[in-house]
Amino acid sequence: MPSTFGLDPQQGYEVRVYDVEYQPGWQARIYQPEGTGPFPALLFVHGGIWNLGTRTSQEEFNNGISSSGIVVVALDFRLAPDHPYPAQVADVNYGLRWLKANAAEFNTMPQSIGGLGSSSGGHTLMLAAMRPDDPRYTAIYTPEVEGHDARFAYTVAAYPVLDSYARYQYAKGNGIEQLVTATGNYFLNEDAMQEGSPQGILDRGESAELPPLLIIQGTADLNVPMSIPERFVESYRSAGGSAELEVLPDMPHGFVQEPGEATDQALELVKRFAARQVAVAVTPVVD
């Protein structure tokens, strides 16, 4: 790789897939490009309305990202209803610190690590990214992660639930009972839905980290209406963050889990965005 740790989105690598334990009882699936490296990395947070899903979700898409020269680390984490908010945000916060502590083992560099989240995983990712020092989110500690923070170099979110309260109201108004029930299982009450909302953080003017963000959203998404990412991008930019919204016509919620032209397009968007962000994150600053 070049000395600036550059990433060529068109480069092709064989990928080795294996699992490791990142905290007792919890696995991470590693998508490891086979090459000299070091490679940049993405921490993947799966969706599943906070109640479902595993680290193997979105496997084909993650493998496609890794084949361009990115280590993808996909976490399992605690789920509702057994583990309500903010349990999975704390798991992701710890998972990032663990990945930074073990970056050399995975042939990557701590400063290169971005985040990738889908649906409710996009919500969890953005809470973790915007509040890396929140004591509720940093509650899990082991000596292994001493000295490592939970700041992402950048974030990518596919059809994310960026306003948990607004999406709950949308689901209630449209009679989508599965979303209503699952949201209640995780947040327990409406106050928590509002407090634990990335959009709410911006609306309340809270101090927050604002890493560069790419949102990928389909216009036929009946799970997350277009109004949610559009408003979030406007608020994120107004707060001083850099946010890009890539809209794919006629694509439904969860579309990247199925092969097709739109999934290929989304894959290219992620690769190119990651390449730009990594180039900035790892280039030494010259005084």
Side-chain angles (χ1 to χ4, degrees), residues 49-265:
I49 46 180
W50 302 286
N51 290 239
L52 305 166
T54 73
R55 67 188 183 281
T56 63
S57 302
Q58 208 170 286
E59 193 149 36
E60 186 172 339
F61 194 78
N62 289 341
N63 194 83
I65 293 172
S66 187
S67 68
S68 70
I70 300 175
V71 180
V72 178
V73 176
L75 299 179
D76 272 340
F77 44 79
R78 291 172 291 172
L79 299 172
D82 292 337
H83 303 284
Y85 171 76
Q88 62 189 246
V89 190
D91 289 341
V92 170
N93 181 292
Y94 179 81
L96 177 56
R97 288 178 284 144
W98 167 85
L99 179 54
K100 288 185 177 184
N102 293 279
E105 177 181 344
F106 303 117
N107 201 10
T108 188
M109 298 170 66
Q111 67 269 37
S112 78
I113 301 172
L116 171 66
S118 298
S119 191
S120 62
H123 166 273
T124 298
L125 170 67
M126 291 311 298
L127 279 186
M130 295 172 74
R131 292 170 167 169
D133 300 319
D134 189 304
R136 298 168 301 167
Y137 302 169
T138 61
I140 304 172
Y141 171 80
T142 63
E144 180 181 18
V145 302
E146 179 68 35
H148 296 279
D149 66 33
R151 284 170 171 77
F152 287 96
Y154 61 96
T155 52
V156 178
Y159 33 85
V161 185
L162 294 167
D163 189 334
S164 37
Y165 181 67
R167 208 284 293 271
Y168 177 71
Q169 295 297 327
Y170 163 82
K172 284 181 64 177
N174 287 274
I176 311 175
E177 290 303 322
Q178 183 186 26
L179 299 185
V180 173
T181 299
T183 306
N185 286 346
Y186 183 55
F187 288 102
L188 304 182
N189 58 66
E190 294 187 10
D191 286 345
M193 293 175 200
Q194 295 178 72
E195 186 282 323
S197 165
Q199 181 68 54
I201 292 173
L202 299 175
D203 290 345
R204 293 186 294 268
E206 295 179 16
S207 177
E209 294 289 323
L210 302 172
L213 167 64
L214 168 66
I215 299 171
I216 299 171
Q217 181 77 31
T219 62
D221 193 327
L222 301 180
N223 188 311
V224 177
M226 280 298 305
S227 58
I228 288 180
E230 288 172 343
R231 181 164 179 253
F232 189 80
V233 165
E234 181 180 351
S235 299
Y236 204 80
R237 291 171 176 168
S238 295
S242 171
E244 301 176 21
L245 175 59
E246 293 286 351
V247 177
L248 278 68
D250 303 320
M251 286 298 103
H253 196 77
F255 73 89
V256 303
Q257 298 185 60
E258 301 295 334
E261 183 178 341
T263 298
D264 292 342
Q265 183 180 350

